[in-house]
């Protein structure tokens, strides 16, 4: 599934690669120039004739090991998605507006009257062990996602538009009634039967159906509850993309070699190596030419911008970083988020005051050389008229923050404010570790909150390592009151997968009738009328801003330093799969 996030549902954008530099003297003119420079970058390397062979080394910039879950249905981090990208390929190709075309491994036909989608795998699309990808492989993805024993984070109520999936997920049925394999399990066609055809189903990343397949013949004997930890997923995965996994140093590096059965033919490169490198060392690595592909840590742009022998390409990703407030828990038995109306952070005035206390615009202008920027809503500008350009978001206003707190009854008792019931108020913030400069940035926000009398402290007294961070967030650790994280998004903008009552990825766990209503309207039959859908998107953004369960913070230019001898590396939607370059196109210039 298309993602700057993870797959068609939602994935996490690792903050470690986009951390901020320490506070210092601001130079707005220089920052503006830097942003303008980034916007002029091309989105692809020059197209030239490529030769066969060669190794490309790719920097994976993180201060923590990647988890190494090589199965898209269970993978949830951007780091795993990156290291898997040479092998992984979506079923579908798209145009530059993410509309599905017939150019990928499979074709898709939508029948609005019959309420069906027919997906056919092309003959010759094979797993890296030589087996043809089959209809059963496509069905098996839904079984992995839907089986409660896998605890798949990618499962959401949006997928329940497929008939029978909810019953299967709840253990009431052994098969998914809405999946038909007209030519049998070994055929190449799958027909999906829906309760209704939804707006966006013609586009990748719509979340109503899965855009991948899983090797049933290879995984079928692994129990669902053992799948994530199995060697078949962690050490010896199968993919039908251009490369296959040859060597794994767990959490540190992955080496890929050509998949001899790749349906498009032999890739140009002979090897791709992903290697973990600390974000703090990224600029030195780029200047020393240790990698042919490396993302620029925006805080280090000045150090690398004059590097010889590289070209810089860039995009503004479908992504944002945000502050989320924990107001409930995930009920695994019911498959629903359950909000606690009495939770500490379930006070709108408190949340809004916290948002108004954040000097996000100052942070983004100075701390990232102007290459990050505050975003006012949870729908990025790239989504065109779905983006509510009139939404103001939260600007820095300590006076307003104090007024909100005073009016809501958060009275000061000495240095700190107390809860309206008179009890002490301590707010625990979970923030992710990253580059060495992450600490002073988070401390900056703590100081802003302290200015209005809010006793906000870091969980455990320190920044939290990436994997531990998401473990605490996903499992609703009681020590966490609010958290700073990031999303990469689907290329179809419906918020259902991230913020619905039935979505495990709704990590704040907020549930309101109005939110349910607006999301339902966004994805309703009436929303085939684009004007209506645009209106509902605008209403949803305004509602989310007002309620402030999730406060949008910033997005960042995503800049890559590419060896100037490389061709075929592109960030364009038509030349991407799952938000990563189509690696079979990448090679060295002749």
């Amino acid at each position: 599934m298309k993602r700057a996030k993870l797959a068609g549902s939602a994935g996490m954008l690792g903050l470690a690669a986009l951390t901020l530099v320490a506070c210092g003297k601001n130079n707005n003119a220089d920052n503006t120039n830097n942003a303008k420079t980034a916007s002029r970058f091309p989105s692809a390397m020059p197209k030239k004739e490529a030769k066969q062979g060669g190794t490309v080394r790719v920097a994976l910039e993180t201060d923590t090991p990647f988890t190494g879950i090589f199965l898209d249905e269970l993978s949830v981090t951007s780091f795993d998605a990156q290291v898997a990208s040479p092998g992984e390929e979506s079923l579908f190709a798209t145009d530059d507006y993410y509309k599905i075309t017939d150019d990928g491994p499979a074709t898709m036909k939508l029948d609005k009257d019959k309420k069906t989608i027919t997906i056919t795998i092309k003959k010759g699309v094979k797993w890296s062990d030589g087996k043809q990808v089959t209809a059963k492989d496509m069905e098996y993805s839904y079984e992995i996602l839907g089986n409660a024993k896998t605890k798949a984070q990618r499962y959401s109520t949006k997928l329940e538009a497929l008939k029978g999936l909810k019953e299967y997920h709840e253990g009431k049925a052994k098969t998914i009634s809405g999946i038909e394999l007209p030519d049998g399990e070994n055929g190449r066609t799958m027909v999906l039967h829906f309760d209704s055809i939804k707006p966006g189903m013609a586009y990748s990343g719509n979340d109503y159906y899965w855009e991948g397949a899983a090797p049933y013949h290879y995984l079928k004997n692994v129990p669902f509850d053992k799948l994530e930890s199995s060697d078949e997923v962690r050490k010896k995965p199968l993919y039908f993309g251009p490369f296959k996994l040859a060597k794994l140093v767990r959490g540190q590096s992955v080496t890929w070699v050509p998949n001899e059965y790749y349906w498009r033919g032999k890739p140009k490169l002979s090897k791709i190596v992903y290697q973990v490198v600390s974000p703090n060392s990224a600029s030195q690595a780029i200047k020393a030419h240790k990698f042919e592909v490396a993302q620029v840590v925006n805080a280090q742009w000045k150090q690398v911008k004059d590097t010889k022998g590289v070209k810089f390409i860039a995009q503004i990703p479908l992504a944002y970083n945000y502050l989320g407030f924990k107001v409930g828990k995930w009920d695994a038995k019911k498959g629903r988020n359950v909000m606690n109306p009495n939770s500490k952070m379930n006070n709108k005035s408190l949340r809004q005051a916290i948002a108004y206390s954040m000097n996000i615009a100052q942070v983004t202008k100075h701390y990232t050389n102007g290459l990050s920027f505050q975003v006012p809503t949870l729908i990025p500008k790239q989504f065109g008229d779905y983006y509510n350009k009139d939404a103001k978001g939260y600007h820095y206003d300590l006076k307003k923050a104090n007024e909100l707190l005073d009016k809501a009854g958060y009275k000061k008792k000495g240095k700190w404010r107390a809860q309206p019931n008179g009890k002490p108020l301590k707010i625990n913030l979970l923030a992710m570790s990253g580059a060495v400069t992450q600490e002073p940035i988070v401390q900056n926000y703590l100081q802003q909150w302290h200015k209005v009398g809010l006793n906000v402290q870091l969980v455990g007294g320190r920044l939290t390592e990436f994997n531990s961070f998401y473990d605490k967030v996903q499992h609703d650790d009681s020590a966490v009151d609010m958290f700073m994280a990031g999303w990469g998004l689907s290329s179809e903008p419906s918020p259902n997968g991230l913020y619905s009552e039935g979505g495990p990825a709704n990590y704040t766990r907020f549930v309101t009738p109005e939110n349910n209503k607006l999301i339902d309207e966004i994805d309703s039959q009436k929303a085939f009328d684009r004007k209506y859908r645009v209106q509902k998107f605008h209403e949803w953004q305004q509602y989310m801003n007002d309620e402030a369960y999730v406060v949008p913070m910033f997005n960042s230019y995503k800049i890559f330093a590419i060896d100037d001898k490389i061709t075929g590396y592109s960030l364009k939607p038509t030349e991407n799969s799952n938000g990563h370059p189509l690696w079979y196109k990448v090679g060295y210039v002749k």
Side-chain angles (χ1 to χ4, degrees):
M1 306 174 111
K2 291 286 177 183
R3 38 164 142 99
K5 75 180 194 189
L6 292 228
S9 76
M12 284 154 278
L13 179 67
L15 289 173
L18 298 171
T19 44
L20 311 173
V21 301
C23 185
K25 185 179 178 182
N26 204 341
N27 187 328
N28 288 331
D30 188 39
N31 290 332
T32 302
N33 289 335
N34 281 328
K36 287 180 179 177
T37 299
S39 67
R40 290 200 299 267
F41 286 154
S43 57
M45 292 295 286
K47 290 187 177 180
K48 298 180 179 180
E49 190 175 356
K51 63 183 181 182
Q52 283 295 134
T55 296
V56 163
R57 299 162 298 176
V58 186
L60 183 72
E61 291 153 25
T62 169
D63 64 343
T64 188
F66 58 85
T67 49
I69 300 173
F70 293 99
L71 188 66
D72 199 33
E73 290 77 6
L74 301 179
S75 170
V76 292
T77 74
S78 64
F79 298 131
D80 280 359
Q82 290 177 63
V83 297
S85 65
E88 190 178 86
E89 192 165 313
S90 172
L91 289 176
F92 306 117
T94 74
D95 62 18
D96 277 329
Y97 299 97
Y98 300 103
K99 189 171 185 179
I100 292 171
T101 70
D102 290 341
D103 297 331
T107 60
M108 186 273 286
K109 183 180 178 183
L110 189 152
D111 190 319
K112 190 175 179 182
D113 294 330
K114 293 182 179 178
K115 301 178 185 177
T116 61
I117 288 176
T118 301
I119 301 172
T120 301
I121 301 281
K122 292 176 180 176
K123 190 174 182 180
V125 176
K126 296 180 179 180
W127 297 105
S128 48
D129 64 354
K131 300 281 189 181
Q132 167 73 39
V133 180
T134 67
K136 181 59 185 179
D137 295 332
M138 292 191 287
E139 180 184 44
Y140 188 50
S141 283
Y142 290 91
E143 293 174 354
I144 294 171
L145 288 164
N147 194 293
K149 291 181 180 179
T150 66
K151 299 179 181 178
Q153 290 286 309
R154 303 231 185 233
Y155 185 88
S156 78
T157 50
K158 205 170 180 185
L159 285 168
E160 292 176 358
L162 177 64
K163 289 185 176 181
L165 185 59
K166 181 180 180 181
E167 291 76 9
Y168 176 79
H169 180 64
E170 293 174 349
K172 296 175 182 177
K174 292 185 178 180
T175 60
I176 303 167
S177 62
I179 296 180
E180 176 189 356
L181 309 181
D183 302 322
E185 291 187 355
N186 293 321
R188 293 182 286 111
T189 297
M190 175 177 70
V191 181
L192 301 175
H193 295 262
F194 294 92
D195 294 322
S196 61
I197 295 297
K198 301 285 188 178
M201 277 187 172
Y203 293 83
S204 178
N206 62 72
D207 289 353
Y208 286 108
Y209 54 91
W210 194 246
E211 296 179 37
Y216 176 71
H217 72 280
Y218 185 61
L219 300 175
K220 64 182 179 181
N221 293 324
V222 181
F224 281 116
D225 59 350
K226 306 292 185 186
L227 202 53
E228 184 177 309
S229 61
S230 69
D231 285 354
E232 288 85 349
V233 167
R234 292 299 188 109
K235 295 180 180 179
K236 298 175 287 185
L238 293 185
Y239 287 106
F240 58 80
F243 289 84
K244 63 181 180 181
L245 195 150
K247 182 182 178 183
L248 170 68
V249 178
R250 191 165 184 175
Q252 296 300 317
S253 70
V254 186
T255 300
W256 298 87
V257 297
N259 170 13
E260 60 190 295
Y261 302 105
Y262 184 54
W263 69 284
R264 283 187 171 110
K266 187 177 181 181
K268 296 175 177 66
L269 295 171
S270 57
K271 193 180 291 184
I272 299 171
V273 181
Y274 271 82
Q275 176 68 51
V276 166
V277 61
S278 167
N280 298 322
S281 305
S283 62
Q284 296 95 315
I286 290 170
K287 289 190 289 185
H289 299 279
K290 290 184 177 180
F291 300 95
E292 282 70 44
V293 176
Q295 186 175 339
V296 175
V297 175
N298 288 354
Q300 300 169 7
W301 168 242
K302 288 182 179 178
Q303 291 98 294
V304 303
K305 65 186 179 71
D306 296 321
T307 304
K308 305 297 182 185
V310 303
K311 291 187 183 299
F312 295 101
I313 65 174
Q315 65 175 182
I316 296 176
L318 294 174
Y320 56 79
N321 293 67
Y322 67 94
L323 176 69
F325 297 93
K326 280 286 187 184
V327 291
K329 292 187 178 294
W330 173 254
D331 188 324
K333 289 184 178 179
K334 293 181 179 179
R336 295 289 184 273
N337 292 291
V338 178
M339 191 160 77
N340 174 11
N342 300 315
S343 66
K344 186 191 301 182
M345 308 311 296
N346 207 353
N347 183 297
K348 185 163 73 171
S349 294
L350 175 61
R351 297 192 301 271
Q352 289 180 336
I354 287 170
Y356 277 121
S357 302
M358 299 177 74
N359 55 341
I360 298 170
Q362 292 172 294
V363 167
T364 55
K365 279 182 180 178
H366 180 79
Y367 298 162
T368 63
N369 294 309
L371 298 176
S372 295
F373 46 92
Q374 186 171 7
V375 292
T377 90
L378 299 175
I379 298 294
K381 195 173 183 179
Q382 297 97 301
F383 284 125
D385 53 2
Y386 289 138
Y387 166 74
N388 186 348
K389 65 181 187 299
D390 297 323
K392 303 301 181 187
Y394 286 88
H395 54 278
Y396 185 50
D397 191 336
L398 291 183
K399 181 181 178 182
K400 192 160 189 173
N402 277 310
E403 288 174 351
L404 282 164
L405 292 167
D406 290 342
K407 191 174 181 180
Y410 290 91
K411 301 186 185 304
K412 276 193 175 181
K413 288 188 175 181
K415 182 179 181 180
W416 304 119
R417 292 180 183 269
Q419 298 180 58
N421 61 11
K423 293 180 179 180
L425 174 64
K426 181 184 177 185
I427 299 170
N428 299 306
L429 169 71
L430 185 70
M432 200 184 300
S433 62
V436 67
T437 50
Q438 179 78 341
E439 178 75 38
I441 301 311
V442 174
Q443 290 297 329
N444 161 76
Y445 286 124
L446 293 176
Q447 289 169 19
Q448 303 308 318
W449 293 319
H450 292 171
K451 286 178 183 178
V452 295
L454 292 176
N455 183 12
V456 183
Q457 305 294 335
L458 285 172
V459 173
R462 61 174 68 90
L463 299 178
T464 303
E465 178 268 338
F466 178 86
N467 296 316
S468 177
F469 176 96
Y470 277 112
D471 182 68
K472 291 178 185 296
V473 170
Q474 289 168 3
H475 295 101
D476 303 319
D477 191 305
S478 60
V480 178
D481 296 318
M482 61 184 190
F483 59 96
M484 290 178 174
W487 281 124
L489 303 175
S490 294
S491 42
E492 208 290 315
S494 170
N496 192 315
L498 292 181
Y499 298 115
S500 66
E501 182 176 353
N506 179 4
Y507 292 139
T508 64
R509 312 306 183 198
F510 86 96
V511 178
T512 67
E514 181 65 15
N515 183 58
N516 289 346
K517 174 176 171 287
L518 286 168
I519 289 178
D520 287 345
E521 288 171 339
I522 284 170
D523 293 330
S524 68
Q525 292 294 295
K526 286 180 70 175
F528 277 102
D529 178 343
R530 186 174 179 87
K531 186 177 179 181
Y532 174 87
R533 198 174 196 225
V534 166
Q535 176 190 338
K536 293 304 173 182
F537 263 105
H538 288 196
E539 289 177 16
W540 181 80
Q541 288 166 79
Q542 196 58 55
Y543 173 75
M544 290 295 286
N545 275 5
D546 183 56
E547 291 296 322
Y549 288 108
V550 181
V551 176
M553 291 176 62
F554 66 91
N555 195 2
S556 304
Y557 285 95
K558 195 173 184 179
I559 306 171
F560 290 88
I562 312 291
D563 188 299
D564 62 9
K565 297 185 290 294
I566 296 293
T567 186
Y569 194 102
S570 175
L571 304 175
K572 296 178 181 178
T574 49
E575 296 174 331
N576 258 239
S577 181
N578 291 335
H580 301 286
L582 288 172
W583 278 107
Y584 79 93
K585 289 188 172 186
V586 179
Y588 281 91
V589 176
K590 267 191 175 179

